[in-house]
């Protein structure tokens, strides 16, 4: 192949092209990115979280130690906070010995020498109260860490201590043993590693958060997906319930069949974005739940069934809802002394604004009258009060053959600056639709490709699917003037709790397993540019089927002055290529080459970076079969 790059014809492209989409699906938050180790710490699990499963209740993950000498009841008589109505009442008839044990999320993984912050809210209901011993136990019941607190107050009081683990144990449990017989009320029982990402209190699991940071994402979309708009009006995420002291946050049923404590809430999302220098992109419901219905069941990637009556937030309640949206902008950006919500942000520990620039309204909603009416009201209100914020609308759900017509019409009519498109497709779709955005009208709203992935139903991401994503992204960079942002399918999936495939990163309590698609995203994220340099690729009269399997994109990173050449070869044979950088005069011809390659079915391939001497503005490179290469010519 000959690749002739026309540097003089370069065009500016978005500098937010590669981001990430975080949704609390597949146990991505509780039991995942959020570092809390106690499951059901708030005793708020309810059968309704999980299709009326009676075993999924306030005692889930809790058990009695020495059950003959103690009783556990769940009460709501005098809670710690109205948003957190259930608490445990532990009656200990014979002490010491009886207690309460939590089994964590598939166990509690602890590391020798690591320190863990233990805390609980407790009060004495009967008796004098006294010392409560806290123990980390291994699977044989041996103690691998111990500490104590005192519960002696008749009113709710938080108690804290630190437990140091004395062994590496991947499946430990935590036990609480009152040393004095009596009746105790307990709530918000927490065990938190001191080692979190950047040492943040109430922070994120360090290895997972670092893996995300390594993608160098320019933005994070959160908290969903479907979680953002919920599967009924009462399941809409409601950002205000996710901030403030943990005990006052409003837990929420997760439509993916579990419970959200919302310990990872809006403050923590904003903080993490700041920590990794990614723009926050919160997505709020457009006043309607999933597909505007009361019932919406996701069975698999291929089947989305939404039924029930169409409906949204009643029109008479829309003013209040719109105010919530405006309040979010004030919470993120408002003055810490002069605004109510800015003050709340400051009280949470962040006086400086978070500098919010984008807000998503709606997620894959059907563009019905119910949607249009509510979206228009919200959009107009935000545009009027906060013209500085870029609102991202939605063009609806994608099914094979959809053209998103109604969504585009509405967005164009209202002048929405950007719209969110989603598509989960077969690898062939990405190969055959590389001209998808070439055809987009540059006078219409810009595009945020908020969810996409190449997948073959039932199969894990592999080199073949990942390379089709890499190939398609060459066309996205080419269209980086109309596509402003992209983010892959769900980010995180916990092994054993995966409701959705494909995902970018799989994990368990001790390991993080990035997929090959992750490495494609990383190679784009770490090597993005601000200017696209068009190139002509000639493949010696090869048929269309061959030409479509080779992709090239050349960008310039203006800040560093580097030229970046991306080459994708989806053919089973190597492709010898000659690359000519016309109109470029290199100060320094040294480069690095990052290569991701493997058999099409490989799931374990990883990119390898090595020095690469190009010698000048014209150089040769042989693309291996099934490969994605990034050649970065450093000028900085
Ligand atoms: O990513 C999983 C789901 O796919 C998201 O919640 C939704 O936006 C889409 O249907």
């Amino acid at each position: 192949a000959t690749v002739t790059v026309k540097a003089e014809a370069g065009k500016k492209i978005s500098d937010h092209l590669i981001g990430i989409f975080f949704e609390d699906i597949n146990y991505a938050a509780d039991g995942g990115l959020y570092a809390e180790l106690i499951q059901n710490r708030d005793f708020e699990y309810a059968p309704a979280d999980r299709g009326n499963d009676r075993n999924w209740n306030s005692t889930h993950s809790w058990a009695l130690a020495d059950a003959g000498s103690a009783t556990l009841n769940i009460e709501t008589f005098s809670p710690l906070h109205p948003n957190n109505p259930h608490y445990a009442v532990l009656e200990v008839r014979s002490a010491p010995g009886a207690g309460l044990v939590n089994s964590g999320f598939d166990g509690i993984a602890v590391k020798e020498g690591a320190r863990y912050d233990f805390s609980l809210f407790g009060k004495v209901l009967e008796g004098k109260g006294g010392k409560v011993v806290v123990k980390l136990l291994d699977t044989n019941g041996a103690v691998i860490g111990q500490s104590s607190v005192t519960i002696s107050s008749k009113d709710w009081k938080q108690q804290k201590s630190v437990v140091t683990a004395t062994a590496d144990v991947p499946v430990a449990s935590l036990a609480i043993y009152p040393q004095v017989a009596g009746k105790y009320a307990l709530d918000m029982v927490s065990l938190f590693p001191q080692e979190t990402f950047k040492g943040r209190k109430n922070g994120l699991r360090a290895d997972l958060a670092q893996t995300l940071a390594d993608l160098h994402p320019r933005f994070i979309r959160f908290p969903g997906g479907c979680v953002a708009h919920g599967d009924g009006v009462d399941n809409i995420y409601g950002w205000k319930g996710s901030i403030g002291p943990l005990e006052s946050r409003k837990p929420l049923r997760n439509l993916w069949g579990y419970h959200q404590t919302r310990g990872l809430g809006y403050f923590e999302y904003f903080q993490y974005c700041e920590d990794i220098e990614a723009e926050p992109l919160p997505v709020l419901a457009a006043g309607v739940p999933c597909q505007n219905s009361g019932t919406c069941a996701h069975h698999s990637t291929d089947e989305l069934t939404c039924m029930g009556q169409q409906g949204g937030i009643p029109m008479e309640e829309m003013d209040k809802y719109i105010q919530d949206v405006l309040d979010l902008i004030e919470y993120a950006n408002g003055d810490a002394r002069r605004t109510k919500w800015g003050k709340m942000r400051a009280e949470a520990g962040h006086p400086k604004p978070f500098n919010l620039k984008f807000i998503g309204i709606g997620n894959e909603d059907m563009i019905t009258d119910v949607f249009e009416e509510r979206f228009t009201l919200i959009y107009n209100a935000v545009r009027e009060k906060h013209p500085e914020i870029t609102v991202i609308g939605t063009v609806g759900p994608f099914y094979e053959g959809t053209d998103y017509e109604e969504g585009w019409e509405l967005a164009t009519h209202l002048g929405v600056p950007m719209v969110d498109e989603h598509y989960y497709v077969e690898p062939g779709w990405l190969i055959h639709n590389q001209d998808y955005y070439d055809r987009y009208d540059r006078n219409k709203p810009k595009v945020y490709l908020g969810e996409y992935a190449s997948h073959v139903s039932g199969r894990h991401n592999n080199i073949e699917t990942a390379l089709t994503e890499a190939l398609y992204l060459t066309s996205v960079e080419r269209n980086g003037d109309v596509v402003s942002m992209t983010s892959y399918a769900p980010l995180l999936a916990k092994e054993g709790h995966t409701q959705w495939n494909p995902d970018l990163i799989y994990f368990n309590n001790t390991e993080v397993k990035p997929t090959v698609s992750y490495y494609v995203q990383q190679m784009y994220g770490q090597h993005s540019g601000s200017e696209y340099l068009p190139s002509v690729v000639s493949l010696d009269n090869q048929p269309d089927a061959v030409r479509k399997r080779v992709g090239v994109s050349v960008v310039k990173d203006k800040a560093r002055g580097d030229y970046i050449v991306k080459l994708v070869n989806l053919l089973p044979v190597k492709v010898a290529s000659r690359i000519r950088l016309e109109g470029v005069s290199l100060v320094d011809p040294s480069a690095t080459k990052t290569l991701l390659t493997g058999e099409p079915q490989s799931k374990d391939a990883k990119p390898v970076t090595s020095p690469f001497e190009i010698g000048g503005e014209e150089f040769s490179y042989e693309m291996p079969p099934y490969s994605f290469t990034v050649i970065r010519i450093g000028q900085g």
Side-chain angles (χ1 to χ4, degrees):
T2 311
V3 178
T4 311
V5 180
K6 308 276 186 194
E8 332 67 62
K11 66 172 174 185
K12 193 179 170 326
I13 56 170
S14 165
D15 49 6
H16 289 105
L17 215 46
I18 306 293
I20 53 180
F21 158 48
F22 180 89
E23 171 164 24
D24 184 6
I25 182 172
N26 312 315
Y27 276 56
D30 294 309
L33 186 59
Y34 183 51
E36 173 64 80
L37 294 167
I38 301 298
Q39 181 161 200
N40 193 14
R41 70 176 178 194
D42 53 9
F43 302 95
E44 295 300 331
Y45 278 25
D49 293 342
R50 207 182 182 89
N52 292 328
D53 175 352
R54 289 176 57 199
N55 295 320
W56 186 271
N57 59 38
S58 289
T59 62
H60 189 277
S61 303
W62 293 100
L64 283 170
D66 190 3
S69 313
T71 316
L72 170 65
N73 281 306
I74 300 297
E75 290 190 3
T76 53
F77 178 66
S78 132
L80 181 55
H81 192 280
N83 287 344
N84 180 7
H86 299 86
Y87 55 92
V89 172
L90 178 65
E91 185 176 358
V92 175
R93 289 182 292 277
S94 147
L100 199 54
V101 185
N102 188 274
S103 50
F105 294 91
D106 303 330
I108 297 173
V110 293
K111 284 190 237 146
E112 183 180 352
R115 290 160 63 81
Y116 298 86
D117 288 329
F118 171 81
S119 64
L120 56 67
F121 280 86
K123 64 179 170 179
V124 178
L125 299 176
E126 276 172 27
K128 288 200 310 296
K131 186 169 166 184
V132 176
V133 170
V134 179
K135 291 180 180 173
L136 274 172
L137 305 172
D138 71 9
T139 39
N140 299 317
V143 179
I144 50 153
Q146 180 164 336
S147 143
S148 69
V149 293
T150 301
I151 303 179
S152 55
S153 141
K154 296 277 177 200
D155 298 317
W156 286 111
K157 216 165 167 201
Q158 192 176 31
Q159 304 294 339
K160 296 179 179 177
S161 69
V162 174
V163 189
T164 303
T166 56
D168 278 333
V169 175
V171 192
S173 57
L174 181 98
I176 306 162
Y177 299 106
Q179 302 296 295
V180 180
K183 216 177 188 186
Y184 299 85
L186 307 169
D187 206 353
M188 297 303 288
V189 183
S190 171
L191 186 72
F192 225 94
Q194 288 190 349
E195 189 210 333
T196 57
F197 185 68
K198 295 210 183 264
R200 297 270 173 221
K201 285 280 176 216
N202 192 47
L204 306 183
R205 200 177 123 174
D207 55 352
L208 280 174
Q210 186 59 53
T211 306
L212 304 187
D214 291 344
L215 287 164
H216 194 11
R218 302 306 189 281
F219 65 90
I220 306 181
R221 168 177 173 235
F222 60 86
C226 292
V227 157
H229 60 183
D231 63 0
V233 166
D234 58 356
N235 192 236
I236 288 178
Y237 189 84
W239 73 272
K240 286 181 178 171
S242 80
I243 59 161
L246 297 177
E247 64 278 12
S248 71
R249 294 190 187 182
K250 236 186 189 150
L252 201 63
R253 174 174 63 82
N254 185 318
L255 54 73
W256 298 106
Y258 55 98
H259 173 84
Q260 306 176 74
T261 62
R262 302 210 288 176
L264 170 53
Y266 262 72
F267 181 84
E268 291 74 22
Y269 284 123
F270 281 133
Q271 181 65 74
Y272 181 53
C273 288
E274 184 178 83
D275 282 344
I276 66 168
E277 294 178 26
E279 301 291 350
L281 167 47
V283 176
L284 290 95
V288 295
C290 184
Q291 313 310 14
N292 310 333
S293 82
T295 326
C296 186
H298 290 78
H299 300 297
S300 73
T301 309
D302 302 317
E303 199 188 341
L304 173 72
T305 320
C306 292
M307 305 156 298
Q309 353 130 256
Q310 305 265 303
I313 294 178
M315 287 308 280
E316 59 275 18
E317 291 170 28
M318 277 303 291
D319 281 352
K320 181 174 170 292
Y321 185 74
I322 290 169
Q323 192 54 51
D324 283 355
V325 177
L326 300 174
D327 289 346
L328 174 65
I329 300 170
E330 186 175 295
Y331 182 71
N333 292 352
D335 185 277
R337 273 168 305 179
R338 282 190 291 272
T339 66
K340 171 178 167 195
W341 292 96
K343 214 177 265 173
M344 302 232 334
R345 182 194 66 240
E347 279 160 18
H350 201 284
K352 278 204 207 134
F354 280 118
N355 199 14
L356 178 71
K357 299 190 182 86
F358 303 96
I359 197 166
I361 302 292
N363 171 66
E364 257 189 38
D365 304 281
M366 297 248 286
I367 313 297
T368 58
D369 292 348
V370 178
F371 170 87
E372 275 198 46
E373 207 172 4
R374 287 159 182 77
F375 177 85
T376 305
L377 286 175
I378 303 168
Y379 174 67
N380 287 339
V382 175
R383 191 177 53 173
E384 196 185 313
K385 181 115 198 259
H386 291 287
E388 74 285 5
I389 298 286
T390 301
V391 175
I392 304 179
T394 175
V395 288
F398 177 85
Y399 302 109
E400 217 59 62
T402 319
D403 57 9
Y404 297 128
E405 203 182 325
E406 283 142 350
W408 272 97
E409 245 171 49
L410 176 67
T412 309
H413 166 72
L414 292 174
V416 177
M418 206 188 296
V419 288
D420 181 12
E421 293 187 339
H422 297 171
Y423 36 87
Y424 294 91
V425 289
E426 301 227 330
W429 192 97
L430 294 180
I431 296 172
H432 295 295
N433 286 281
Q434 291 174 64
D435 59 348
Y436 194 72
Y437 292 115
D438 295 336
R439 293 183 260 122
Y440 268 44
D441 184 342
R442 268 54 188 169
N443 297 315
K444 288 193 172 173
K446 302 244 186 252
V447 175
Y448 166 36
L449 174 52
E451 289 177 43
Y452 71 98
S454 164
H455 75 110
V456 180
S457 187
R459 279 199 242 150
H460 198 280
N461 346 27
N462 57 23
I463 275 285
E464 187 192 6
T465 57
L467 289 183
T468 58
E469 288 152 6
L471 186 70
Y472 193 70
L473 282 171
T474 62
S475 79
V476 167
E477 281 195 333
R478 179 172 70 240
N479 286 288
D481 55 329
V482 66
V483 182
S484 296
M485 304 166 113
T486 66
S487 48
Y488 186 80
L491 256 190
L492 295 175
K494 189 163 194 177
E495 288 177 342
H497 302 279
T498 301
Q499 296 105 6
W500 183 278
N501 281 300
D503 304 289
L504 205 58
I505 300 160
Y506 293 80
F507 68 96
N508 55 38
N509 282 347
T510 52
E511 294 161 297
V512 179
K513 303 177 178 180
T515 60
V516 272
S517 291
Y518 169 90
Y519 291 114
V520 167
Q521 294 293 319
Q522 190 186 55
M523 286 164 74
Y524 270 91
Q526 293 186 351
H527 301 288
S528 57
S530 43
E531 191 182 337
Y532 180 79
L533 311 183
S535 48
V536 180
V537 183
S538 88
L539 267 164
D540 299 337
N541 298 324
Q542 292 291 337
D544 223 34
V546 170
R547 281 192 289 114
K548 279 185 171 166
R549 284 170 168 75
V550 175
V552 177
S553 169
V554 183
V555 295
K556 183 170 183 185
D557 173 353
K558 279 207 149 170
R560 288 166 62 179
D562 296 359
Y563 292 93
I564 298 157
V565 182
K566 300 191 179 82
L567 302 149
V568 183
N569 177 17
L570 250 168
L571 295 167
V573 292
K574 62 190 178 201
V575 175
S577 54
R578 188 87 190 134
I579 293 134
R580 290 196 196 114
L581 301 175
E582 278 184 8
V584 170
S585 84
L586 296 176
V587 184
D588 177 0
S590 60
T592 56
K593 176 187 86 181
T594 303
L595 173 65
L596 177 68
T597 184
E599 289 300 315
Q601 302 314 317
S602 165
K603 300 189 214 69
D604 309 315
K606 286 189 176 51
V608 176
T609 301
S610 52
F612 182 62
E613 281 306 318
I614 59 166
E617 288 85 14
E618 187 168 336
F619 60 95
S620 298
Y621 177 66
E622 192 175 88
M623 303 179 214
Y626 299 113
S627 66
F628 173 34
T629 310
V630 177
I631 297 172
R632 182 172 195 117
I633 310 166
Q635 301 295 291

